[in-house]
Amino acid sequence: MEDRLTSLPESLQLRILSTLDAKYVVQTSILSKSWFPLWKSVPILRLNSYDFENRFSKFDKFVEKALSSQREMDLDTLIYKRDKVSRAMILKKVIDYAFSHNVKHLDFWVDGVEGREWPIVLHGFVDSLISLRLQSDEDNVRCSCLGPLSRSFTNLTDLYLKLAVITEQDLFSGFPKLNKLTLVRCQLNTNSKTLKVHAKQLSELSILPYEKDIDCIELITPKLKLFEYKGFRFPKLKTCDGLPNLDSVVVAFAGCSKRYDEKRMFDDLMMFFSKVYSVKSLKVCKGIKFEVEDFDRRPSESIMRTTEYLEFISDMKGYLLRVTHCER
């Protein structure tokens, strides 16, 4: 009987295997003799505990065994997903394995990390890494390896952090090529409640903070084009150059303001808008529209000097905000 699997080009075989989780990739080694060593050459390695029916000890043993196998080719992508708290020792082995094989894209999706700190220990420059995702879904986890003194990620362009504990005042200036930054429910643990984003090459910034964690966002991002903010309050914005290249701003309100707190919320919102007055496209969620319309008063004189009246135009996803000049 003809072996059609063997007749496939190796590049196509590897492409097929790259769509599978590692457990099933390893199992394909019994299909034919030519496929036996292929799993060690797949460019995308997916380590997923969901394939082990919540048998986490069995998953951890599989990960250790898979990483102990010799691999000749570099990795393009490594994705690690695990329910419950992940053991720091296993995570460190995964991270070291990825860096030793010049990984380009490194993604971690966990519920929590043992010791509540990502065990990333750098012994030199990680020139290959382009994107890094550190996502914890339940516990806040420290990222002590990141910061202005850690310039090992020389080519990192995309950074995603969820439930990360930010302990450095200037966390992001250590990435000279950072182009896209996403912060989801990250916790500020610094001397102030000012989130500093100093990244000269940054083009896209998305922030979804905790309810009362950030009072001020300080931006030194001269190339920023897209700014997305979704939170329970509107922090002050500080910029050094007025964000001259800003094309689009998306603002969403994740909570509801109490009647006694409406004035503060309205003033904060207007001051927030005043810092992005030169933007070409400003989209807000319906909740903000209702908050503005329900607040039955004109802006105070101090606000009128720095902002413009707002006209909301409905569309399918939210509201496009048309800015019209007001006369004093």
Side-chain angles (χ1 to χ4, degrees):
M1 182 177 179
E2 181 184 359
D3 186 355
R4 295 185 178 181
L5 294 176
T6 304
S7 65
L8 292 174
E10 184 175 305
S11 59
L12 181 55
Q13 294 174 357
L14 291 175
R15 185 173 180 180
I16 294 172
L17 292 178
S18 293
T19 64
L20 304 176
D21 287 339
K23 175 183 177 180
Y24 306 112
V25 173
V26 173
Q27 290 176 353
T28 62
S29 61
I30 66 174
L31 295 178
S32 69
K33 293 182 179 180
S34 64
W35 280 57
F36 180 77
L38 276 182
W39 76 270
K40 300 179 183 180
S41 301
V42 290
I44 301 177
L45 184 60
R46 305 174 188 270
L47 302 170
N48 195 337
S49 69
Y50 303 148
D51 301 323
F52 291 81
E53 300 178 351
N54 295 325
R55 298 173 66 180
F56 301 111
S57 60
K58 189 174 181 180
F59 169 71
D60 290 343
K61 291 180 180 178
F62 171 81
V63 170
E64 290 188 281
K65 189 173 182 179
L67 300 183
S68 64
S69 302
Q70 292 185 352
R71 179 187 178 92
E72 296 180 358
M73 298 181 62
D74 287 341
L75 266 176
D76 181 85
T77 302
L78 191 151
I79 302 172
Y80 179 93
K81 294 184 178 181
R82 190 188 190 279
D83 281 342
K84 305 299 182 181
V85 175
S86 296
R87 295 169 57 194
M89 181 184 68
I90 298 294
L91 286 177
K92 185 179 183 304
K93 289 183 178 180
V94 174
I95 293 169
D96 291 345
Y97 179 86
F99 288 160
S100 67
H101 290 86
N102 299 314
V103 69
K104 294 181 180 178
H105 309 280
L106 184 57
D107 293 4
F108 285 92
W109 306 54
V110 299
D111 283 348
V113 177
E114 182 184 40
R116 295 199 173 189
E117 182 164 355
W118 289 104
I120 301 178
V121 180
L122 303 176
H123 302 287
F125 290 99
V126 188
D127 296 330
S128 63
L129 195 65
I130 296 174
S131 68
L132 175 63
R133 182 186 188 104
L134 301 177
Q135 174 172 328
S136 173
D137 289 332
E138 293 185 4
D139 297 332
N140 292 100
V141 183
R142 292 168 57 91
C143 302
S144 59
C145 63
L146 308 179
L149 298 180
S150 176
R151 299 185 179 273
S152 298
F153 301 98
T154 55
N155 291 309
L156 189 73
T157 61
D158 188 348
L159 177 62
Y160 180 105
L161 300 176
K162 181 178 180 182
L163 285 181
V165 179
I166 298 176
T167 57
E168 296 283 349
Q169 288 282 358
D170 188 7
L171 182 63
F172 308 106
S173 64
F175 307 102
K177 294 185 179 181
L178 189 62
N179 180 264
K180 182 178 181 180
L181 174 63
T182 304
L183 305 175
V184 180
R185 298 172 60 197
C186 292
Q187 178 183 346
L188 272 181
N189 189 13
T190 60
N191 294 330
S192 68
K193 289 189 175 183
T194 297
L195 174 64
K196 296 182 179 182
V197 181
H198 299 173
K200 294 183 178 180
Q201 301 300 321
L202 194 67
S203 176
E204 298 181 25
L205 173 62
S206 299
I207 301 176
L208 289 79
Y210 274 128
E211 181 175 356
K212 297 181 179 180
D213 207 32
I214 300 176
D215 287 338
C216 178
I217 299 176
E218 181 179 296
L219 300 179
I220 301 181
T221 52
K223 294 187 178 181
L224 190 66
K225 293 184 177 180
L226 171 63
F227 179 33
E228 179 180 8
Y229 179 86
K230 180 180 180 180
F232 294 86
R233 57 186 300 186
F234 300 99
K236 297 179 181 179
L237 287 181
K238 289 184 179 180
T239 64
C240 65
D241 53 9
L243 305 175
N245 293 301
L246 194 62
D247 289 332
S248 180
V249 173
V250 180
V251 183
F253 183 55
C256 59
S257 64
K258 304 296 183 181
R259 181 64 62 180
Y260 64 84
D261 205 30
E262 283 182 343
K263 183 180 184 299
R264 182 200 58 79
M265 196 281 291
F266 184 87
D267 289 345
D268 289 347
L269 177 59
M270 293 299 101
M271 291 302 297
F272 188 94
F273 285 156
S274 73
K275 292 296 183 178
V276 295
Y277 65 90
S278 62
V279 69
K280 297 177 182 178
S281 172
L282 176 58
K283 180 172 284 191
V284 301
C285 71
K286 294 181 179 179
I288 292 179
K289 174 183 184 292
F290 296 147
E291 292 289 345
V292 173
E293 289 182 342
D294 289 346
F295 193 72
D296 187 22
R297 70 172 180 85
R298 296 283 180 137
S300 64
E301 185 178 355
S302 61
I303 297 296
M304 285 184 65
R305 291 196 185 104
T306 58
T307 62
E308 299 160 317
Y309 285 118
L310 311 175
E311 180 181 356
F312 294 88
I313 303 170
S314 177
D315 67 6
M316 293 184 65
K317 295 183 178 179
Y319 285 84
L320 293 177
L321 186 65
R322 178 180 297 168
V323 182
T324 56
H325 291 279
C326 62
E327 297 181 0
R328 295 181 181 177

